[in-house]
Amino acid sequence: MNDSYGNEYSLKLFSGGKLSTTQYALFAIQIAVVILLSWLGVIATPVVGPGIGFLYWAYPFFIVFTWWWGLWGVLAAFLGCFIGAGLLTGLPLIPSLAFSIGDLVPALLVLLFYRGFLNKIGVDPLGRDITKKKMSAFWFVFWVMGITNIIGGLWGVWVLVQLGFVPANAYWYGAGLWILGDAIVLIIAPFLARALTPIVERFGLTTKGIIS
Amino acid sequence: MSDTMAERKNREGQKKYLKTILFSAKADSVFVNLHPFTKFALFFILSIAVILAMTKSHPDLVFSLIVFIVVLALLLESGTLKYVIKSYLSLLFVAFIVFLIWWLIFNQIGNSILFSMHIGNYYFKITRESLYVGVAKVFGYAAMAFLTLLILMTTRDVDIVDALNQLKVPFKQTFFISLIFRSLNIMEEDLESIRHAQFARGGKAAKKNPLSRVKEFLALSIPLTALMIKRAVEMGSALEARGFSKSKKLSEPVVKKRIGSADYLAIIFSIIALYISITMNVTNVLGGHIWTSLL
């Protein structure tokens, strides 16, 4: 295990210089993939509450994309939720915009924490070591499956309550289902990162900074 | 999202249906030919109007019902109602039922009891008032859901690109957005191909246990991501071969939409609807108690 392989990744905006045309195309396609998976996450999984799908398949993808592509992954998280889980499933404009913040904030917090603090203490910023190192596994469970997921769930269901979709009395029940469902699908993320990060790196497609 | 109807033509060789973001719509429909700015404004203003109607202390059932009927009429006019029925009705029906159940369970208000029961220590009741609120919420949600589908089913990705061009959004940003919309269909087809390949090799579908479904999805996710990277590399090379990094602007669209009288009428209608939603409760104006007693 090489502990220093994450050092080239940082929170600088443009560490990798100008974006290549392939990266430009890739960032558009990855947003399309997250939109598609968000849409499937709502229409092809059990609807457990108003605006609440139980297994949101796009979640582990945008987390891994955020590890690889920084702010582009965060953008995918936001647009995936806004268009895929929102507009394409018939959710109106304002609720879609508001509850997409519930995916944007967790992705952004994951990006900042992994490229910043965790990178400094020896955790791989691309998540390759989660299945190998106890410390990395702990931070994944605590930060990605725990704190950020809880923030996203509490925000998302709060928005649905404010817009009159979910009864106020059902807030904790709805948030609990949201958080539990996301935690279950997040199990995929470490395996996805371990299997595919070497390929993405070999093509030179990861972003060393958070934009390029 | 793909559909062969988009290619259907009449005897003169003109397209009867246009490919849109979701499915396709009648080429000669008034609503389809509205300017994208008008559709966006209509979408935005009517969504606010319905949310205001839904979140009133006594939700405005009649207002939501009127918007719902208008949207249904527009779906019919644009030739997209059949797609809603074929592809979304079962999904929306489940969503509406779940919506109503949540409002009946978690909104225990009123004294005019229609049904009651004890489940252990929990006393559950359905009253005229709770049923009214539940039905009003369902119609509000239905109006907005169908409105969203109407906009997506009657708007083309080229309309969005054209609108962004008119707003003078820089070429690279506009092209990036058009690439997202164009990639949606490609990636959907790729996902289907991977699924079929896995079934052909003995993969199982529709497992009920959530953990089994996660495992099943993991098998799908790795080839999907690998294919996505392959597509991006191919697309990047194709774009570069056409001098993309040196390009300054998109080619001019063949047909440019202009704002006409139908656009002004649509905007006026939505502003009137918003004004009504802010200033009054249509259900109460039309004798609110009568609507509750009908339930």
Side-chain angles (χ1 to χ4, degrees), chain A residues 21-22 24-33 35-37 39-40 42-50 52 54-55 57 61 65 68-69 72 75 79 87-95 162-167 169-170 173-174 177 184-185 187-188 191-192 195-196 200 203 205, chain B residues 1 21-22 40 43-44 47-48 51 54-55 88 91-92 94-95 98-99 102-103 106-108 137 141 144-146 148-149 152 171-173 175-176 179-181 183-184 187-188 191 195 210-211 213-214 217-218 221-222 224-226 228-229 231-233 235-237 239-240 244-245:
Chain A
T21 308
T22 303
Y24 176 88
L26 178 66
F27 297 151
I29 296 177
Q30 59 105 14
I31 291 173
V33 167
I35 291 173
L36 185 64
L37 293 174
W39 179 62
L40 288 174
V42 177
I43 67 154
T45 56
V47 176
V48 289
I52 306 168
F54 188 58
L55 299 172
W57 298 114
F61 277 84
F65 293 170
W68 290 341
W69 301 314
W72 298 100
L75 184 65
L79 290 178
L87 300 182
L88 289 176
T89 60
L91 203 64
L93 187 70
I94 298 156
Q162 296 309 309
L163 293 169
F165 282 59
V166 171
N169 289 344
Y173 180 65
L177 285 172
I184 291 173
V185 291
I187 298 169
I188 295 173
F191 299 99
L192 207 60
L196 290 166
V200 182
F203 277 102
L205 296 173
Chain B
M1 275 183 247
I21 296 171
L22 270 180
F40 181 79
F43 187 24
F44 187 70
S47 290
I48 294 177
I51 285 174
M54 271 176 83
T55 47
Y88 275 89
L91 167 76
L92 288 173
V94 171
V98 169
F99 211 103
W102 273 55
W103 277 97
F106 294 103
N107 189 38
Q108 296 283 296
K137 295 275 182 187
Y141 179 62
M144 290 193 283
F146 281 70
T148 312
L149 292 175
L152 292 168
F171 157 67
K172 295 237 161 139
Q173 277 87 319
F175 192 78
F176 187 78
L179 213 52
I180 294 172
F181 284 106
S183 304
L184 270 176
M187 293 317 296
E188 193 200 10
L191 187 64
R195 270 184 176 167
L211 285 176
R213 291 177 76 157
V214 169
F217 196 75
L218 180 63
S221 60
I222 292 176
L224 178 71
T225 314
M228 180 187 90
I229 294 162
R231 290 264 182 222
V233 172
M235 210 178 278
S237 307
L239 283 172
E240 213 36 66
F244 173 77
S245 54

Side-chain angles (χ1 to χ4, degrees), chain A residues 95-177:
Chain A
S96 300
L97 266 176
F99 100 146
S100 304
I101 308 284
D103 277 3
L104 182 137
V105 171
L108 193 60
L109 290 174
V110 166
L111 172 69
L112 296 175
F113 212 56
Y114 270 78
R115 292 277 177 115
F117 172 69
L118 293 184
N119 195 13
K120 282 182 187 151
I121 62 165
V123 173
D124 180 21
L126 304 193
R128 282 166 290 194
D129 57 356
I130 294 166
T131 53
K132 296 172 190 166
K133 279 168 73 176
K134 276 186 185 167
M135 185 174 66
S136 303
F138 165 76
W139 282 111
F140 176 75
V141 173
F142 175 71
W143 190 248
V144 183
M145 289 172 98
I147 303 292
T148 57
N149 180 23
I150 290 169
I151 292 171
L154 293 180
W155 168 266
V157 180
W158 181 80
V159 167
L160 293 173
V161 169
Q162 296 309 309
L163 293 169
F165 282 59
V166 171
N169 289 344
Y171 176 73
W172 291 107
Y173 180 65
L177 285 172

